[in-house]
Each structure stands twice: as structure tokens, then as C-alpha cells.
Amino acid sequence: MSGKNASLSGEYFSKRQFLKGTATTLALGALPFPVRRALAGQDWDLVIVGGGSAGLPAAIFAAQRGARVLVLEGSHRIGGTLDRSGGQMSAAGTSLQAEKGIEDSPDLHFEDVMRISKGTVNAELVRLFVDNAADTIHWLLTLGWKPLPHHPVKGEGHEPYQIARYQWGPERGMSVYRALQPKVADLLQQGRLSILLATEATDLIQHPDGSVAGVTARGPDGGRADYRAANVMLATGGAGGDARMFQKLNGAPLYARMAYPYNRGAGVTLGESVGGYVRGIENYLCNDGGVLQDMDYPSPYSASPLTDPAHRPPWEIYVNVRGERFAKEDDPSVDNREHAVLRQPDHRYWAVFDDRILDAAPPFLAGWSKEQTTQAFGQHHMFTKAGSLAELARWTGLDADRLIATVAAYNAAQASGKDTAFGRSHMPLPVAKAPFYAIRLQGFSILTYGGLAVDTSLRVIRTDGTAIPNLFAAGEVLGKGSLSGHAYVGGMSLTPALTFGRLISQRMIRLNA
Ligand SMILES: Cc1cc2nc3c(=O)[nH]c(=O)nc-3n(C[C@H](O)[C@H](O)[C@H](O)COP(=O)(O)OP(=O)(O)OC[C@H]3O[C@@H](n4cnc5c(N)ncnc54)[C@H](O)[C@@H]3O)c2cc1C
């Protein structure tokens, strides 16, 4: 099968290097061109573009089936987004649930996804996912991955499921990486898998009949080579590493620089170049806000406000650039809060409060002490302090008259105990005593909502619904909008990436005899 690859693999990857972990910069970049050319001269059963959450399971399962598999990875290491992912995964009908007496099924999972997303997902893909998600969890368990002891839970950070089917390991995304890595290392050592790092796919090779025949990629020396394959899988992640592509695939700017920097939407460009198309952009949704470091974006991330009223009921009021409140600040539904921020100009708002609130309230930012917060008003671009509301409005760019009217209306509601405008119930103090404070918050997404359209065999399709022969895709390149809809549904990025990568190699690719 891939005996010839075995000797080649040893030249550019060793198990010892793998066990050092993702921080290791592997010497692959220095791979001599003749070796790359030797790999390019072969006929592969499967070339996978991208060695992350979707690409690695695909590589493992295809290699285990005896396929000749080559992974082209643009960065200097494998794992992709797993180095920063929350690692939160959802699945129904797992052994973890059975051990805790939790009754669940793929049908109930499907219903819950439909409920949370209000039916905005691609139902066929969600169906394929929920029917296969438990097997992914069971597979990870066999590889040594373990969830936190009290898991599964119903949710964290996102709209909760009705049944506890949500879990992650102690090192979050890295827990998944540490389960996959030794398996990859074994297959490399046995010569059953080949990986080229620092090798960026730039084009797809297409036969005259439209079917895909391989990948052209650029190595670290800038030289290009063709890798011919019976099947090609695009697993290049989202576009959070490229502001222009992110804007194109989300219809919204890339505000925060948090995604894996090598993910620049290349898979979408490759898929489109052979007739594929993008869907899901209309489902873009921002989160309910964070503090960025800079006014220019994409900006580094600075701090997370505690906006979940279950953990910290709000003391501040939230106003948009017009100086108006726009939501019930203590709405228990994170989905409602996210959609409220999405409707604001530039998805931006300010938490406004006064000196008594600063003194009496628990810290507003996760992990920040009161002293840190107080100091930030003299140092941080997003923190403004002023002697009057008019001055606060001037420094923040808010409409001053509206802000003064908004605060007066809120203070009246606070005094009467009845917020007729929005129905907020937690109103411990008025916003009345100078100095006044504002912290600028930005709603943003780190995930890419628009992605390649595929059928239920995960083949990239054209607008007429026909499949482009030999071309598969999985992971965030499919777009968050397809599997999570116009919402953040828990675990609906990482778990489908792992699951669809596995399915492509287990069930869907055709191997050469
Ligand atoms: C901070 C953060 C937290 C998250 N938390 C969660 C969570 O808790 N739960 C959840 O469900 N989802 C979460 N996600 C999303 C989820 O982790 C990702 O959607 C998923 O890991 C993406 O998998 P992937 O295989 O599509 O991409 P990746 O794992 O990023 O892999 C893509 C790979 O393709 C490579 N590549 C890109 N372009 C090329 C090219 N031209 N040629 C060759 N290689 C290329 C990249 O270098 C990368 O290694 C989170 C994301 C982030 C950023």
C-alpha cells in the first residue's frame, strides 16, 4: 500500500518530535525539495488540505483503511485551532450520558438544535451530524480523551440544551489534540501516513470533465508541486486569519484577532475555483460583547465582561452609540442578548455606570479586580471616566442629549422598581453620582459563518446541487452558519469537524484498488 511512503515519512517526521507537543517547531520547513518532489510524483488515495480538527480524524481513519494519505498543512505544525478551541463538544446517546442515567437520542439532539437555532441550520447536515456524534465521543474515549468529572452538562456560555449532552476535557481543545496526536505519530512511524508541513495548497487540479484530480501546493522555499489524488478533502478551517476573507464570508468585519492565523479562507477559494459555492453568510451572529485592546481592528482581545446575569446580575446600563438603551440587560437568554447587540450600529455598545456602582458592584470583567478596573480608566482606550454625563458622551462619541435622557429614564425606572421600557428587574442603584464611567464593548465573532456547500456525502456541490467529483470538505470551511444557524449552538463547530472528517474517510471516499 504505502510502503514507499514509509521511508519518506521517516525523513520528515519522528515520533519524538510529535510527543514534544504543538509548541515544537518541527524541522519540516527544511525538507529538501527532492523529497517533496518524490511525494508529488505519487498517486494518493486522499490528499487532505489542512491538518486540524477535521483533517486529522480523516487522516487517521483513511490511513487505517489502508489508503495512501497525504496531509498538506500550511503552518509549521498540526492541530490547527485545537490550540485555542474551548474543546466543547455535544453528542447524544453517549456512554458518558448512560453512566449518569441521562436519557437522550439523536432525535432529541436534532430537536434541540432546531429550537436554539430557530430552524436556521442546514437540517440535512445537522441530521448527519447528530446521528454520528456519539461515535466521535466514543472514539475519543478510546484514544484516552476524558471529559471533566461532572460532565456532560447542559451548557456553558451558549444557550443551554434541554438535556446534558455537552462536555470538554480539562485542557479544552488541547485535550482533544493530546488524544489525536499519538495516533497520528503511530501512523507516521509505521509509514501509513504522510504529512507535509509549511505546505500551502494554492490550486486544485481539475480534469476536463470537472472532476478534481489533486492539489497544487507551495512549499517553504516558495516552490510549487502537484499532488495527484483520487480524492481531495478541504479542511482549511475558517477565515479568521484574514480580515478581507472574513468580511467576505461573514458580511461583518473581523474585529478580534483570536482565530488560528493560518486559516485564511483558502478552502473556500479552492472550492469556488472548481465550481463550488458559499452559503450561510446570512446567519452571521456576533457574541454579546468583549473588550478589545485597540480601536483599529482586527484587534487583540483584552477582557470579557460578565454579562451572564446568572453569574453576575448587571449593575450597569448598556447604551449604543446613539446613547440609547437597547435591551434588557439582565435577559437570561444569551441568544437574546447576542441578537440585541447584532442589531446595534457596528455591533458596539457601552456599559455605563457611576461612582457608587463602581464602589458597590462586584467586578464587571472576568478575572479583573476592582483595582485593575479603576486603573484601566487612566490607561486603556476602551475605558472612559468623566465628571459629567455630557463629558462622558463627548469622550466616547455617544449622543450626549440622548445619553442624559436615557440615564434619567433609567433612574426613574430604578426608583419606581419598574422598567417599563425593557422589563429589567435587577436595578440596585441609579446612575447618578459623578464621576461617570463607560467601558466600550464590541460584539464580534471569531468563527466564519459562510462556507462551502456540500451534500450529505460531504461532497462539495455546485449551485445546481450536483457534486464536484472527488472533492470533499469538512470543518469550519463548511461555515458555522450551516451547522449552528443564526445562533451559537453549543459544540456545533468542533464536534461536527471531528465527526465529518471521520465520516469522509470511514464511509465516503472511494479508494483506488
Ligand atoms: C478561541 C476559539 C474557541 C473555540 N471553542 C469552541 C468550542 O468550545 N466548541 C466548538 O464546537 N467550537 C469551538 N471553536 C471552533 C472550533 O474549534 C473550530 O471551528 C474547529 O476546530 C475548526 O476545525 P477545522 O479542522 O475546520 O480547522 P482547524 O482545526 O483550524 O484546521 C485547519 C488547518 O488548515 C490549515 N490550512 C489553512 N489553509 C491552508 C492551506 N491553504 N493549505 C494547507 N493548510 C491550510 C491550517 O493551518 C490549520 O492547521 C472555537 C474556536 C476558537 C477560535
Side-chain angles (χ1 to χ4, degrees):
M1 185 259 317
S2 52
K4 202 171 159 202
N5 296 337
S7 58
L8 290 173
S9 309
E11 286 181 51
Y12 51 94
F13 247 126
S14 74
K15 190 174 181 182
R16 190 179 54 77
Q17 282 171 312
F18 253 92
L19 294 179
K20 276 193 191 165
T22 53
T24 310
T25 302
L26 296 167
L28 270 246
L31 188 69
F33 190 64
V35 177
R36 287 179 175 271
R37 228 173 31 206
L39 289 179
Q42 302 186 31
D43 286 322
W44 301 94
D45 288 315
L46 176 63
V47 168
I48 300 168
V49 183
S53 312
L56 292 181
I60 293 168
F61 278 93
Q64 285 175 338
R65 278 178 70 195
R68 296 160 50 84
V69 188
L70 173 66
V71 178
L72 302 175
E73 168 50 50
S75 76
H76 58 285
R77 60 163 176 76
I78 59 165
T81 300
L82 286 174
D83 69 350
R84 63 202 67 205
S85 176
Q88 299 178 320
M89 294 181 284
S90 59
T94 66
S95 56
L96 299 169
Q97 291 176 308
E99 278 163 22
K100 303 216 164 165
I102 300 165
E103 285 185 24
D104 198 5
S105 68
D107 285 347
L108 292 173
H109 193 178
F110 183 83
E111 278 173 27
D112 238 0
V113 173
M114 286 300 185
R115 174 185 63 82
I116 296 170
S117 71
K118 301 183 178 67
T120 54
V121 291
N122 179 301
E124 284 185 330
L125 286 186
V126 170
R127 189 75 246 178
L128 179 70
F129 165 65
V130 296
D131 286 345
N132 291 282
D135 284 349
T136 299
I137 297 294
H138 296 152
W139 175 58
L140 288 176
L141 288 167
T142 67
L143 296 183
W145 170 84
K146 280 200 185 77
L148 292 171
H150 63 288
H151 285 190
V153 294
K154 289 184 178 173
E156 186 194 83
H158 304 302
E159 208 64 21
Y161 284 114
Q162 279 173 343
I163 294 173
R165 60 169 76 92
Y166 199 37
Q167 52 262 304
W168 54 95
E171 291 183 86
R172 301 216 165 219
M174 283 304 288
S175 294
V176 175
Y177 175 79
R178 291 195 203 291
L180 301 179
Q181 180 216 41
K183 197 78 202 163
V184 173
D186 275 355
L187 290 164
L188 284 165
Q189 221 175 32
Q190 293 166 27
R192 295 165 70 189
L193 174 63
S194 297
I195 299 180
L196 278 175
L197 296 181
T199 304
E200 193 188 345
T202 57
D203 297 281
L204 290 178
I205 304 165
Q206 209 172 9
H207 287 302
D209 67 1
S211 60
V212 168
V215 180
T216 303
R218 184 171 44 221
D221 59 359
R224 284 172 201 260
D226 289 346
Y227 300 91
R228 306 199 76 81
N231 303 280
V232 171
M233 172 180 164
L234 300 174
T236 52
D242 182 297
R244 191 188 56 79
M245 274 303 279
F246 186 90
Q247 171 95 41
K248 178 182 162 190
L249 295 174
N250 284 293
L254 178 66
Y255 287 110
R257 201 186 309 140
M258 292 174 78
Y260 194 58
Y262 289 87
N263 292 355
R264 303 183 190 117
V268 166
T269 308
L270 292 171
E272 285 181 323
S273 73
V274 294
Y277 73 98
V278 169
R279 64 184 176 195
I281 297 174
E282 69 285 358
N283 279 339
Y284 175 82
L285 179 61
C286 61
N287 60 15
D288 70 345
V291 182
L292 301 185
Q293 187 65 42
D294 300 326
M295 300 288 177
D296 290 339
Y297 44 79
S299 157
Y301 191 63
S302 197
S304 299
L306 296 167
T307 48
D308 181 354
H311 292 118
R312 181 192 180 275
W315 293 60
E316 305 73 17
I317 59 168
Y318 300 160
V319 298
N320 59 22
V321 71
R322 294 189 288 265
E324 295 163 345
R325 284 178 71 210
F326 56 88
K328 173 176 158 177
E329 291 88 343
D330 60 357
D331 193 323
S333 162
V334 59
D335 188 62
N336 286 351
R337 299 197 305 274
E338 288 160 349
H339 281 272
V341 173
L342 186 72
R343 290 190 289 271
Q344 304 319 305
D346 299 325
H347 313 148
R348 191 170 295 151
Y349 65 102
W350 285 256
V352 171
F353 51 102
D354 73 351
D355 207 40
R356 277 179 74 199
I357 293 175
L358 179 67
D359 192 44
F364 179 58
L365 299 169
W368 283 44
S369 66
K370 197 163 287 182
E371 291 68 39
Q372 263 176 297
T373 310
T374 308
Q375 271 176 15
F377 284 98
Q379 298 165 350
H380 197 299
H381 290 314
M382 306 297 165
F383 291 64
T384 307
K385 176 180 174 181
S388 69
L389 287 172
E391 193 193 342
L392 192 75
R394 190 158 61 245
W395 295 128
T396 47
L398 306 187
D399 182 306
D401 292 344
R402 297 301 312 216
L403 178 65
I404 291 165
T406 296
V407 169
Y410 174 75
N411 288 348
Q414 193 273 336
S416 71
K418 204 164 167 47
D419 176 25
T420 44
F422 294 99
R424 168 173 170 169
S425 40
H426 189 261
M427 298 184 286
L429 285 174
V431 180
K433 184 178 172 229
F436 295 95
Y437 301 91
I439 300 177
R440 183 171 120 158
L441 299 160
Q442 179 65 55
F444 64 91
S445 173
I446 48 180
L447 300 171
T448 304
Y449 273 78
L452 287 176
V454 291
D455 63 12
T456 51
S457 296
L458 301 169
R459 296 176 300 180
V460 178
I461 54 172
R462 307 178 180 98
T463 46
D464 64 4
T466 58
I468 299 164
N470 315 334
L471 186 63
F472 297 85
E476 208 176 311
V477 72
L478 303 186
K480 173 136 180 96
S482 285
L483 282 139
S484 194
H486 195 33
Y488 284 96
V489 187
M492 288 303 283
S493 295
L494 177 56
T495 344
L498 295 162
T499 303
F500 287 173
R502 178 173 66 75
L503 286 182
I504 285 174
S505 288
Q506 258 183 332
R507 300 211 318 226
M508 291 159 179
I509 58 161
R510 174 175 52 81
L511 300 183
N512 284 335

